Amino acid sequence: MALTLKSGFTFDYDNLFGEGKVTQADLDSYKEDLAKAHEAMKVMRDSGIIKAHLSKDGTPEKVYFSKLPYITADNGKLNLNSPASIQRLHKFTEHLRNNIDAVVSLGIGGSFLGNKVLFDIFCGEFWNTKTKEERGGLPKIYFSGQNIDTRRTRDLINHLKAMAAVTESHENRKYKVCLICISKSGGTLDTMSNFMVMCDELKKCANIEVEIVAVTDPNMEKKTILKQLAVDNGWEQFAVPDGVGGRFSVFCEVGLVTAAAIGMDIELFLGGARDMDEACKNENLFENPAMLNAALKFAAYKKHGRNMEVMMPYGDYLKSLSEWYIQLLAESLGKQFDKDGKEVCYGRTPLVAVGTTDMHSQTQQHQEGMLDKVVQFIKVAKWADDYVIPNAFPSAKKLADISGVTMSEALEVARQSNADALSSNKRFNACFVLPELNEYHLGELMYLLAMSVAYEGELANVDAFNQPGVEAYKRIMGPKLQELKKSKGL
Ligand code: PA5
């Protein structure tokens, strides 16, 4: 059983639905809840209203991620995507192409994970070792701020200094670094500590020119620290719009700034998301990918105890997609209280895996451990530039047996075998199939997952758009830092 969209994007749920799995009777028992959830999504699309959703400061807040795929002048008024904002991103690409040697994107959580997905998938591991020509004139890209790790920060700074020394001696000019500081709140410890260290260190280098771009809440009345700095110093600015939480921000300027820096087709990415949104307007459960995915996972949890979801794409460069999804699922659905204030401690626990790598580590547990998981595969149907595995050593019979097929065929045989083995032992699994790995299909998939957690929030009656749990450690961390400063006499 599979739901296939016109684009070829497929949700294969054969191993998740049917006899001994989630049943039609399970789904039928949620008929009314599903209808309500679908209605709630309509209201969200039309008005941005999500019942009982409150912002961090306890006031009602609109939810706008479903508007992001639509590039309209009206959306521009809300700092969402508009023809003018997309034009500006294209200009930013050209600016970077003509003026910048290296970009450092600083951010954490929602201000990092989606950007990393775009970079990994469209640039790959060796982007920074390619020549400028091979990168189409675009800069090298580095990430920072996703930890407070002095060693990694020093390594990055030293690396940039080394590149600057080479540029100075070979081209007799300054090395140009663009620091893109991304923080909705504008003051996150992890991001801002790295930002300040990097600014300080790089600005001390006579052969480095530093340019700064701020991506933050654009509100002028109540400016974030980063916004204030940007205004005071005349830095270029992009917006993290009101109503777009970090984990949904890959479709706004947070993700699109990285998309611009790597020369991705932004319109195609948003086009995929838009077409997925249209598909998710379908009120028929079996024709609506987000509602169906949410309903099956919710039922697998509530009726069959499958309270973990292993996100397991096949392919190295898709691992960060799994990491992005972990945040999406964990922050959206891991909630102690429901919308009526009742303690529910809801949430399926997400796990990162990647095929085939983790077949050699986690699969033992998936296959024989507790019956508490759904393994969600992601498959790319057609890989570009595939290798045929050659019969390089004809005398080695075992190696000859694996020759003649392409690497992507072998990858799919491995994934299919894993799926079959899991299914043969009551292990629920499902697969999203992308016809190819391009902007359009990635947009479809990421949007489907975002919309899916929105549906599941409604089914579980929890607010999928807040994250009160992360405030707990922050309330402790702030005073602790001040105590530390005091004890150091600062
Ligand atoms: O999803 C979220 O809201 C978080 O993961 C944030 O993105 C993360 O904490 C970073 O916050 P900020 O963008 O304010 O620096």
Side-chain angles (χ1 to χ4, degrees):
M1 270 154 293
L3 193 180
T4 299
L5 302 181
K6 265 205 313 262
S7 65
F9 180 97
T10 297
F11 175 31
D12 178 347
Y13 54 95
D14 209 29
N15 295 335
L16 183 53
F17 182 63
E19 183 83 36
K21 297 167 263 189
V22 174
T23 62
Q24 184 61 51
D26 291 338
L27 296 182
D28 287 346
S29 72
Y30 297 125
K31 203 166 169 209
E32 269 179 34
D33 299 317
L34 284 165
K36 273 197 213 149
H38 190 58
E39 188 52 37
M41 295 300 102
K42 263 196 227 161
V43 173
M44 177 182 76
R45 275 195 195 89
D46 293 346
S47 64
I49 293 172
I50 279 281
K51 191 188 118 203
H53 169 60
L54 299 176
S55 71
K56 212 161 45 178
D57 51 26
T59 54
E61 182 184 55
K62 298 276 178 83
V63 173
Y64 287 140
F65 85 89
S66 60
K67 287 188 185 297
L68 289 169
Y70 299 90
I71 305 170
T72 67
D74 266 0
N75 282 347
K77 292 178 200 148
L78 296 168
N79 292 301
L80 307 170
N81 299 319
S82 67
S85 73
I86 300 295
Q87 240 351 80
R88 203 173 147 234
L89 286 163
H90 290 318
K91 274 174 78 181
F92 186 56
T93 304
E94 286 322 304
H95 169 72
L96 295 177
R97 203 192 296 275
N98 297 322
N99 297 287
I100 297 295
D101 295 298
V103 163
V104 181
S105 174
L106 296 113
I108 192 163
S111 297
F112 162 68
L113 291 159
N115 303 48
K116 184 70 169 21
V117 173
L118 305 183
F119 175 77
D120 284 359
I121 289 182
F122 296 108
C123 299
E125 188 179 344
F126 304 104
W127 177 258
N128 290 343
T129 59
K130 289 180 177 172
T131 63
K132 200 166 167 68
E133 289 65 44
E134 286 168 331
R135 294 194 309 269
L138 291 163
K140 297 182 178 188
I141 309 281
Y142 301 92
F143 289 92
S144 177
Q146 73 275 21
N147 207 335
I148 319 170
D149 178 336
T150 189
R151 180 170 172 205
R152 164 103 194 338
T153 301
R154 182 172 299 282
D155 280 354
L156 177 54
I157 289 168
N158 285 343
H159 175 69
L160 292 169
K161 284 181 181 172
M163 300 303 296
V166 172
T167 302
E168 186 180 28
S169 77
H170 288 194
E171 300 174 39
N172 194 26
R173 67 167 178 88
K174 289 189 180 189
Y175 193 66
K176 295 181 184 161
V177 178
C178 176
L179 301 180
I180 303 181
C181 186
I182 310 174
S183 176
K184 182 172 184 162
S185 61
T188 303
L189 170 68
D190 325 58
T191 306
M192 300 312 275
S193 56
N194 278 281
F195 178 53
M196 289 194 286
V197 169
M198 294 209 66
C199 276
D200 195 46
E201 286 292 322
L202 297 182
K203 282 185 174 174
K204 279 189 229 154
C205 302
N207 57 1
I208 295 183
E209 198 175 300
V210 180
E211 179 177 310
I212 296 173
V213 173
V215 186
T216 189
D217 183 337
N219 195 324
M220 280 300 278
E221 285 74 57
K222 230 173 115 198
K223 295 191 199 76
T224 68
I225 300 164
L226 183 57
K227 174 83 186 171
Q228 187 67 58
L229 286 169
V231 170
D232 293 350
N233 292 287
W235 298 337
E236 175 104 20
Q237 296 170 45
F238 289 95
V240 192
D242 271 351
V244 179
R247 53 196 181 271
F248 300 91
S249 66
V250 68
F251 302 106
C252 75
E253 286 182 349
V254 170
L256 300 184
V257 161
T258 294
I262 61 176
M264 237 180 89
D265 191 328
I266 292 173
E267 281 91 338
L268 204 57
F269 180 61
L270 293 175
R274 194 162 57 240
D275 288 348
M276 181 55 76
D277 187 56
E278 294 298 338
C280 296
K281 288 179 183 168
N282 201 313
E283 64 188 21
N284 180 340
L285 176 64
F286 289 94
E287 289 172 22
N288 178 330
M291 182 156 60
L292 182 59
N293 181 47
L296 289 168
K297 305 273 171 72
F298 182 69
Y301 175 14
K302 298 298 263 189
K303 309 263 183 194
H304 303 268
R306 312 302 164 112
N307 60 8
M308 300 208 173
E309 180 168 0
V310 181
M311 181 52 88
M312 190 165 189
Y314 271 59
D316 280 343
Y317 294 163
L318 294 170
K319 186 170 183 184
S320 45
L321 184 62
S322 182
E323 286 162 348
W324 169 82
Y325 179 65
I326 270 40
Q327 187 210 19
L328 180 68
L329 188 64
E331 284 194 349
S332 300
L333 299 178
K335 301 289 153 73
Q336 186 171 358
F337 299 99
D338 72 6
K339 292 192 192 199
D340 304 314
K342 191 172 136 216
E343 185 162 52
V344 287
C345 298
Y346 184 78
R348 297 182 292 109
T349 303
L351 294 167
V352 175
V354 69
T356 58
T357 313
D358 288 313
M359 290 169 76
H360 300 262
S361 69
Q362 294 188 33
T363 291
Q364 168 64 33
Q365 219 283 344
H366 303 168
Q367 184 72 29
E368 295 187 356
M370 286 177 72
L371 280 163
D372 57 1
K373 288 172 221 49
V374 174
V375 180
Q376 177 61 60
F377 297 116
I378 298 172
K379 155 188 168 182
V380 175
K382 187 171 181 300
W383 289 87
D385 303 326
D386 211 351
Y387 280 111
V388 175
I389 301 170
N391 193 4
F393 308 101
S395 59
K397 166 83 177 77
K398 198 155 178 235
L399 295 184
D401 285 350
I402 61 170
S403 69
V405 300
T406 66
M407 288 189 82
S408 73
E409 285 167 342
L411 181 75
E412 175 51 12
V413 167
R415 190 202 65 77
Q416 189 64 63
S417 307
N418 191 7
D420 291 353
L422 291 170
S423 299
S424 72
N425 198 23
K426 301 185 287 215
R427 311 287 157 157
F428 294 2
N429 60 93
C431 187
F432 295 123
V433 185
L434 276 59
E436 27 180 339
L437 199 47
N438 60 20
E439 286 92 336
Y440 181 85
H441 295 303
L442 182 68
E444 285 185 298
L445 177 64
M446 293 181 90
Y447 190 83
L448 156 63
L449 294 169
M451 190 48 103
S452 195
V453 298
Y455 268 102
E456 191 171 340
E458 294 304 308
L459 291 176
N461 192 34
V462 296
D463 184 351
F465 300 98
N466 66 0
Q467 55 275 339
V470 301
E471 298 307 317
Y473 77 80
K474 286 186 188 166
R475 279 192 291 272
I476 299 170
M477 190 169 70
K480 262 196 198 305
L481 260 177
Q482 292 318 308
E483 266 169 41
L484 175 66
K485 283 189 68 169
K486 222 163 122 193
S487 73
K488 291 172 65 124
L490 295 167

